Amino acid sequence: MPLDSDLWFRRYHNGPDAEIGLVCFPHAGGAANFYLPMSTALSTTTQVLSVQYPGRQDRHTEPLIDDIHRLADEVFEAFRPLADRRWAFFGHSMGATVAFEVARRLDDAGIPPVMLFASGRRAPSSHREERVHLLDDRGVISELKALSGTDTRVFDNPELVELILPLVRSDYRAIETYRPRSSVPLSCPIVTLVGDTDPLATRQEAEAWEQHTTGKFELHTYSGGHFYINDHRPKVIEVVSSALAAHTNGDFNGNQRVDSH
């Protein structure tokens, strides 16, 4: 990989040179290693890359990016040298929106991804007014606890809290101030996954992703909240694996609504 791609993408396993690879985009406050279990599970069939945003883990000294469009621009530029092969995108929460915007840029450049998996995020056209990024530290921490996506032991360590709060606030500012700039749908299929009690994405808001593709569409609903993915990881990985295999074989069905409990 070129140097810039090394900076932005983590490869935890040397997967096979399969026809389609998978690029994973983390949630707000998340890092590339959130997708280590997915990379492990798919390591014998699929090359998995995970995006590392600035300001976290090995990039902790770099300035944070609090604008989705600027973040997508930078990921897009880093990804271009890798676009000589076929890739699908998977994003959870904020990551789904970043993945969508990078896919938009690739579509405009004539090199679209083969599929977008949008997890735990309402469609770009389903706007809500949210202001978590404007809350005080206690308010932000309360939001994180409510979503159950952060190890609660973190909140007992003042030094860790001090480290993660600027990162989380920046990511929340990015996603809460995001507005799509184009209503033109993507050309690739979209597979949406959502928890049935997710406070940040209702089933109706998840279904609205269908408006953002001229290709096929699937919706998978799971029991659980915003981080349903932690409780249903094997099922989610199976959805991804099956969809990629079907697309490779030319028989991806799409246009389905599936409830998984």
Side-chain angles (χ1 to χ4, degrees), residues 29-180:
N33 66 349
F34 179 74
Y35 291 107
L36 179 57
M38 185 172 290
S39 178
T40 301
L42 296 176
S43 61
T44 61
T45 61
T46 307
Q47 179 62 70
V48 178
L49 301 180
S50 189
V51 180
Q52 187 75 298
Y53 307 137
R56 58 214 77 200
Q57 293 185 334
D58 54 338
R59 301 188 69 183
H60 70 276
T61 60
E62 298 178 44
L64 299 166
I65 297 177
D66 62 0
D67 179 270
I68 294 293
H69 290 289
R70 188 158 64 88
L71 181 58
D73 284 343
E74 297 207 20
V75 176
F76 168 68
E77 289 300 329
F79 182 76
R80 284 178 69 103
L82 309 180
D84 58 348
R85 64 172 294 180
R86 304 175 75 203
W87 296 93
F89 287 175
F90 185 104
H92 180 70
S93 192
M94 183 186 84
T97 303
V98 179
F100 169 77
E101 285 294 339
V102 176
R104 155 66 48 229
R105 287 152 176 76
L106 289 167
D107 225 353
D108 291 345
I111 45 175
V114 300
M115 189 174 297
L116 170 64
F117 297 91
S119 167
R121 185 65 191 168
R122 56 188 178 273
S125 54
S126 298
H127 175 66
R128 293 189 198 176
E129 285 293 335
E130 295 175 312
R131 300 177 179 275
V132 174
H133 71 281
L134 297 177
L135 298 176
D136 60 16
D137 290 352
R138 183 175 297 180
V140 175
I141 291 172
S142 178
E143 174 73 10
L144 293 177
K145 288 181 176 180
L147 295 178
S148 302
T150 304
D151 188 333
T152 55
R153 291 173 296 182
V154 168
F155 303 117
D156 297 326
N157 187 323
E159 292 182 357
L160 282 178
V161 170
E162 187 176 351
L163 283 173
I164 69 170
L165 276 180
L167 164 62
V168 170
R169 193 182 300 279
S170 175
D171 284 355
Y172 268 82
R173 182 181 299 110
I175 195 60
E176 292 179 344
T177 60
Y178 165 75
R179 304 292 184 275

